[in-house]
């Protein structure tokens, strides 16, 4: 269980030393990070840390692999350090390879690293992924690649070794979850001279196979079915009722009331937006189904899919089951108010869900629906 500690220091220091270049990495796996980034931009500023960390800035090279000049040769990459339990100078470094979000999302949900640091006498480092949080490169999106990000982290380790005067035998262990786990795994595989090991939680190097074969959806369905076999059936009924009801104006009004949406649905295509909105909730509650409350995207309880399934059973109807899922994921603390705004909640959250999945087709058709609605006035 993640044990949260009181913040004792959040001082800001700037240590800007340009890292050395690392030879290009030849990797078959590429990450398509641009689309999720488009839906990340504009998110709120970093929340306060729930752990004692100090901020540092590293001047990372913009382009590790070419000699052609860039508008600026370096960019400020944020990293946070906790040396509370570090046994200087030979203690190991537990290094979190940041993924596609503000680094505080991972600092505040990675208590295992802080707890383990005490046992191993480790220095704890959380490094932010380029283009996310405040580690931005505003002038060119072409440098948003796995290889560039890995080279940022490789060169940062050299900087940290020098700055903290670490002994040569001090080991660097890469940590990460999800895409960050892929980074941790690849760092160890591609650069064993730098990384002594990796702790990769929920690495997804073959995630595309799950998407292509519908395997991920089957796993998701099984999670709810393990709580009660009635829950997947209620959801299937809910999808049918959603699309059938959205075909007429009277039905759209009834669907909106059943789902707690503030106003009548604008057209039959709204069913697709609602499908993305609630589908994102159903999927994410399984993906982040921790045995304790979390706030990765929204505040949710422990085992949120279980809580949602119990709400579905209490509702007893298809549309009631969909609303139960929405209430747990989007309004668990009452943050959405008494009803859901279609434009600012349903549409936005559906787009974020499809953006995280890089579902270009659904995003394209959502934009077409938005254009048609504006044309109708």
């Amino acid at each position: 269980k993640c044990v949260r500690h009181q913040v004792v220091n959040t001082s800001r220091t700037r240590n800007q030393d340009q890292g050395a270049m690392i030879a290009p990495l030849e990797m078959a796996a590429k990450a398509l990070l641009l689309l999720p980034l488009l839906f990340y931009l504009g998110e709120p500023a970093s929340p306060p840390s729930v752990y004692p960390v100090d901020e540092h800035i590293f001047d990372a090279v913009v382009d590790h692999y070419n000699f052609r000049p860039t508008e600026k040769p370096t960019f400020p990459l944020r990293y946070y350090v906790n040396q509370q339990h570090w046994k200087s100078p030979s203690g190991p470094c537990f290094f979190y390879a940041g993924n596609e979000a503000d680094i505080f999302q991972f600092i505040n949900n990675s208590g295992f690293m802080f707890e383990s640091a005490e046992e191993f006498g480790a220095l704890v480092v959380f490094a932010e992924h380029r283009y996310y949080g405040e580690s931005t490169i505003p002038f060119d999106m072409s440098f948003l690649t796995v290889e560039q990000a890995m080279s940022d982290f490789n060169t940062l380790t050299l900087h940290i070794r020098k700055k903290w005067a670490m002994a040569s035998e001090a080991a660097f262990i890469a940590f990460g979850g999800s895409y960050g786990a892929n980074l941790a795994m690849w760092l160890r595989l591609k650069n064993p001279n730098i990384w002594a090991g990796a702790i990769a939680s929920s690495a997804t190097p073959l995630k595309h196979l799950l998407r292509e074969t519908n395997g991920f959806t089957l796993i998701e369905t099984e999670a709810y079915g393990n709580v009660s076999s009635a829950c997947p059936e209620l959801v299937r009924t809910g999808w049918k009722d959603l699309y059938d009801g959205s075909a007429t104006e009277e039905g759209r009004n009834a669907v909106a009331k059943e789902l707690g949406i503030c106003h009548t649905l604008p057209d039959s295509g709204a069913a697709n937006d609602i499908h993305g909105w609630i589908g994102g909730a159903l999927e994410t509650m399984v993906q982040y189904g921790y045995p304790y409350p979390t706030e990765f995207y929204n505040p949710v309880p422990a085992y949120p899919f279980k809580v949602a399934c119990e709400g579905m059973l209490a509702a007893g109807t298809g549309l009631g089951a969909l609303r139960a899922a929405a209430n747990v994921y989007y309004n668990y603390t009452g943050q959405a108010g008494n009803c859901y705004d279609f434009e600012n909640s349903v549409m936005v959250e559906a787009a974020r869900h499809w953006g995280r999945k890089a579902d270009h087709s659904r995003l394209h058709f959502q934009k077409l629906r938005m254009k048609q609605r504006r044309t109708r006035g």
Side-chain angles (χ1 to χ4, degrees), residues 1-248:
K1 183 175 180 178
C2 173
V3 179
R4 295 192 168 187
H5 303 271
Q6 182 181 3
V7 178
V8 296
N9 185 11
T10 55
S11 62
R12 300 170 70 90
T13 60
R14 300 185 70 86
N15 299 277
Q16 301 182 319
D17 299 303
Q18 182 172 329
M21 296 284 283
I22 294 292
L25 304 175
E26 295 185 358
M27 283 176 43
K30 301 280 186 178
L32 297 176
L33 298 173
L34 175 58
L35 192 59
L37 176 66
L38 296 178
F39 292 92
Y40 166 78
L41 296 176
E43 293 293 321
S46 299
S49 171
V50 299
Y51 294 101
V53 292
D54 298 317
E55 182 185 76
H56 299 266
I57 304 295
F58 172 61
D59 273 354
V61 174
V62 170
D63 188 356
H64 294 272
Y65 303 115
N66 293 287
F67 290 105
R68 63 185 173 90
T70 55
E71 184 175 322
K72 294 181 181 179
T74 63
F75 72 96
L77 187 148
R78 288 196 303 176
Y79 67 102
Y80 288 83
V81 177
N82 174 294
Q83 49 186 330
Q84 185 176 5
H85 302 294
W86 184 44
K87 294 180 180 179
S88 173
S90 58
C93 176
F94 291 171
F95 185 105
Y96 189 94
N99 29 325
E100 71 283 20
D102 186 295
I103 192 60
F104 276 95
Q105 179 168 312
F106 310 108
I107 293 174
N108 290 342
N109 290 282
S110 301
F112 169 72
M113 290 180 63
F114 293 93
E115 294 164 6
S116 299
E118 182 174 4
E119 179 179 354
F120 290 92
L123 183 72
V124 177
V125 173
F126 282 80
E128 192 162 63
H129 196 292
R130 56 170 54 205
Y131 287 88
Y132 290 92
E134 296 181 14
S135 300
T136 56
I137 307 175
F139 51 86
D140 195 333
M141 301 300 291
S142 66
F143 304 117
L144 181 59
T145 69
V146 169
E147 293 88 347
Q148 297 282 7
M150 290 173 61
S151 289
D152 291 340
F153 298 153
N154 285 333
T155 55
L156 178 55
T157 67
L158 305 179
H159 170 76
I160 290 172
R161 281 188 180 277
K162 181 178 180 180
K163 178 175 174 57
W164 272 269
M166 299 179 73
S168 59
E169 65 268 21
F172 271 72
I173 309 297
F175 284 73
S178 191
Y179 164 53
N182 288 6
L183 289 173
M185 174 184 66
W186 290 328
L187 286 168
R188 166 60 181 166
L189 288 173
K190 294 293 180 178
N191 302 99
N193 59 312
I194 297 176
W195 304 93
I199 305 295
S201 177
S202 298
T204 58
L206 300 179
K207 186 175 183 179
H208 63 287
L209 295 179
L210 289 176
R211 296 292 190 194
E212 292 168 2
T213 62
N214 207 37
F216 190 89
T217 303
L218 293 175
I219 295 170
E220 175 189 346
T221 302
E222 187 177 69
Y224 290 95
N226 286 339
V227 180
S228 171
S229 60
C231 287
E233 291 302 322
L234 284 167
V235 171
R236 293 187 185 102
T237 300
W239 294 139
K240 183 178 185 304
D241 293 345
L242 168 64
Y243 281 93
D244 289 348
S246 298
T248 67

